[in-house]
Amino acid sequence: MATHHILNYVVPGDDFTRAGEASSAVKNTLKQLGIDNAAIRKVSIAIYEGEINMVIHAGGGTITVDISDQEVAMILQDKGPGIADISKAMEEGFSTAPDEIRLLGFGAGMGLPNMRKFTDEFNLQSTLGIGTTVTMKVKF
């Protein structure tokens, strides 16, 4: 295949109508490149969950996707408030999303756990008052 593509996306804050644009675009690119469907599904879920988190908690952010012959590497960065308790945030069902977000069907506390579950490598760095960076890889 001999591919190497870098894709960059800006996730707008507080706009649920646009959340999912990056994951859809990456999914389409991966399909065009002939990447395995199982890997495409994992990447799409991981990025989508990250996009939603950025909209709910961080006022948006950026996503960089690096596609090589062996893997898809994703870096999601925001300048939000940061995560106070990362281990708690990684628990399934734990959420700090406000009620109005939950009423929209978001904020169930599965974003970070799903991002970890659907990737082969997952790393989360967060500093209060500065922001959060999530690095993920899906290998194929």
Side-chain angles (χ1 to χ4, degrees):
M1 183 170 34
T3 61
H4 188 75
H5 300 276
I6 298 190
L7 311 171
N8 294 293
Y9 302 94
V10 174
V11 178
D14 304 322
D15 186 354
F16 284 99
T17 63
R18 297 198 45 209
E21 286 181 358
S23 56
S24 292
V26 171
K27 181 179 182 178
N28 290 336
T29 299
L30 294 175
K31 281 183 179 180
Q32 290 172 356
L33 293 171
I35 303 298
D36 174 69
N37 281 335
I40 292 173
R41 180 175 177 270
K42 291 177 182 180
V43 169
S44 298
I45 291 169
I47 291 178
Y48 180 77
E49 294 286 12
E51 283 181 90
I52 293 298
N53 279 353
M54 284 188 221
V55 172
I56 293 173
H57 302 289
T62 61
I63 299 174
T64 301
V65 180
D66 185 348
I67 306 164
S68 72
D69 289 341
Q70 299 85 29
E71 66 187 19
V72 177
M74 301 154 273
I75 301 171
L76 290 70
Q77 294 179 291
D78 68 55
K79 292 180 174 31
I83 300 170
D85 186 340
I86 292 173
S87 60
K88 190 80 173 160
M90 293 303 300
E91 291 178 12
E92 290 188 8
F94 177 78
S95 178
T96 58
D99 289 340
E100 61 268 19
I101 299 298
R102 292 173 191 258
L103 290 172
L104 294 172
F106 300 102
M110 292 304 294
L112 290 172
N114 277 340
M115 291 165 75
R116 179 177 55 197
K117 176 181 176 182
F118 288 100
T119 56
D120 297 305
E121 292 181 26
F122 176 90
N123 183 285
L124 187 154
Q125 300 292 321
S126 190
T127 305
L128 290 178
I130 294 176
T132 300
T133 299
V134 177
T135 305
M136 303 178 285
K137 290 183 180 179
V138 172
K139 299 176 185 295
F140 44 85

